[in-house]
């Protein structure tokens, strides 16, 4: 079946650091990738949608300069949390989809900012 | 805009008992409906989906769900729960952008399932 690999699975870093999270579709072409954020005991909140070769579309309230998304190829999207602060600590999950097929999710990245 | 309600935050069942997780949605047209399962610290795994056709959908791990338009529901069921089914379950609805053939998911808040041995 379709596999999405997300790396790293856990990051702990100091406040002010920029952190990059990678999301790769291993056995299919991801025409669209999504980035979600999950707060404790909450559901997933969509942050942004990116189509390969295009700029990401951000949801209302998500700072595009804070959360940089790049979807340069059909198998890779990256989320960079710039100048991260403790309030950015969260569980980030990516998903990928080939055209109108269901989304497949990565295992998530737990980001902890000290 | 579409929305999803999962009325039960936490459900506890005994191993071997039957299970039903409730999901109600709000959407102006025929929705795409999904159930995902999330184990602790993991991403989401698709259990099953409904796009059209037969309203009773079979999924992986012995799960099924039934789309009831009149009740705006898409409840998830399993006849006999196993201890490994303990996880969090998310119902999701997709609004279809018919022009592009694409869609975005809106998730419910999830139902945590605990299984008593």
């Amino acid at each position: 079946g379709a596999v999405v690999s997300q790396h790293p699975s856990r990051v702990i870093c100091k406040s002010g650091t920029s952190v990059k999270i990678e999301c790769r579709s291993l056995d299919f072409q991801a025409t669209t990738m999504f980035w979600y954020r999950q707060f404790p005991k909450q559901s997933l909140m969509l942050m942004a949608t990116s189509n390969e070769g295009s700029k990401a579309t951000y949801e209302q309230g998500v700072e595009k300069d804070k959360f940089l998304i790049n979807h340069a190829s059909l198998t890779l999207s990256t989320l960079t949390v710039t100048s991260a602060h403790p309030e950015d600590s969260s569980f980030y999950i990516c998903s990928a989809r080939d055209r109108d097929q269901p989304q497949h999710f990565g295992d998530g990245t737990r980001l902890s900012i000290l | 805009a579409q929305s999803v309600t999962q009325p039960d935050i936490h459900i506890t069942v005994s191993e071997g008992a039957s299970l039903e997780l409730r999901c109600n949605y709000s959407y102006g047209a025929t929705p795409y409906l999904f159930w995902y399962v999330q184990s602790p610290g993991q991403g989401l795994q698709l259990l099953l989906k409904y796009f059209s056709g037969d309203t009773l959908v079979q999924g992986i791990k012995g799960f099924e769900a039934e789309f009831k338009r009149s009740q705006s529901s898409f409840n998830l069921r399993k006849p006999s729960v196993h201890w490994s089914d303990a996880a969090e379950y998310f119902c999701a609805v997709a609004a279809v952008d018919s022009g592009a053939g694409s869609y975005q998911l809106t998730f419910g808040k999830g139902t945590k399932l605990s299984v008593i041995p």
Side-chain angles (χ1 to χ4, degrees):
Chain A
V3 177
V4 173
S5 173
Q6 188 172 338
H7 178 80
S9 59
R10 184 171 181 112
V11 180
I12 303 173
C13 58
K14 293 181 179 180
S15 183
T17 306
S18 291
V19 179
K20 180 184 285 188
I21 303 170
E22 291 188 349
C23 181
R24 294 181 184 273
S25 58
L26 298 186
D27 52 2
F28 67 100
Q29 293 186 330
T31 53
T32 307
M33 284 188 167
F34 303 87
W35 286 96
Y36 296 87
R37 182 174 179 176
Q38 185 179 32
F39 294 95
K41 302 186 186 301
Q42 299 288 320
S43 183
L44 298 178
M45 301 300 296
L46 179 64
M47 298 174 66
T49 303
S50 71
N51 294 298
E52 185 264 338
S54 302
K55 288 185 178 180
T57 301
Y58 289 81
E59 295 300 297
Q60 190 173 9
V62 178
E63 300 175 59
K64 58 182 66 177
D65 294 331
K66 175 75 169 176
F67 299 99
L68 301 179
I69 291 172
N70 183 281
H71 189 173
S73 76
L74 282 172
T75 59
L76 173 65
S77 175
T78 59
L79 167 67
T80 301
V81 183
T82 61
S83 187
H85 291 283
E87 59 267 27
D88 299 323
S89 298
S90 193
F91 193 56
Y92 294 86
I93 300 178
C94 74
S95 70
R97 187 181 75 205
D98 180 8
R99 290 166 291 177
D100 61 350
Q101 297 300 304
Q103 295 180 46
H104 297 276
F105 289 81
D107 283 340
T109 298
R110 182 156 304 282
L111 176 62
S112 300
I113 308 298
L114 305 177
Chain B
Q2 65 273 20
S3 65
V4 177
T5 301
Q6 292 180 247
D8 304 305
I9 297 173
H10 191 181
I11 285 182
T12 301
V13 300
S14 298
E15 191 168 17
S18 63
L19 171 70
E20 182 169 33
L21 301 182
R22 295 184 292 166
C23 173
N24 294 97
Y25 68 90
S26 173
Y27 182 57
T30 300
Y32 289 178
L33 294 161
F34 307 80
W35 274 99
Y36 287 88
V37 59
Q38 184 182 29
S39 297
Q42 300 289 315
L44 298 182
Q45 181 182 24
L46 179 66
L47 285 176
L48 48 79
K49 63 184 185 294
Y50 170 79
F51 281 9
S52 65
D54 193 344
T55 56
L56 184 61
V57 180
Q58 302 297 320
I60 62 171
K61 304 184 179 186
F63 286 93
E64 67 177 26
E66 186 171 11
F67 170 54
K68 293 186 177 179
R69 184 190 302 275
S70 61
Q71 299 177 19
S72 296
S73 69
F74 188 57
N75 294 346
L76 181 71
R77 300 194 293 251
K78 187 169 184 178
S80 177
V81 169
H82 188 263
W83 64 266
S84 60
D85 293 324
E88 190 148 20
Y89 292 80
F90 290 92
C91 180
V93 63
V96 178
D97 176 353
S98 57
S102 63
Y103 55 87
Q104 284 184 349
L105 292 175
T106 298
F107 287 87
K109 291 190 180 300
T111 298
K112 182 176 180 180
L113 174 66
S114 297
V115 180
I116 301 172

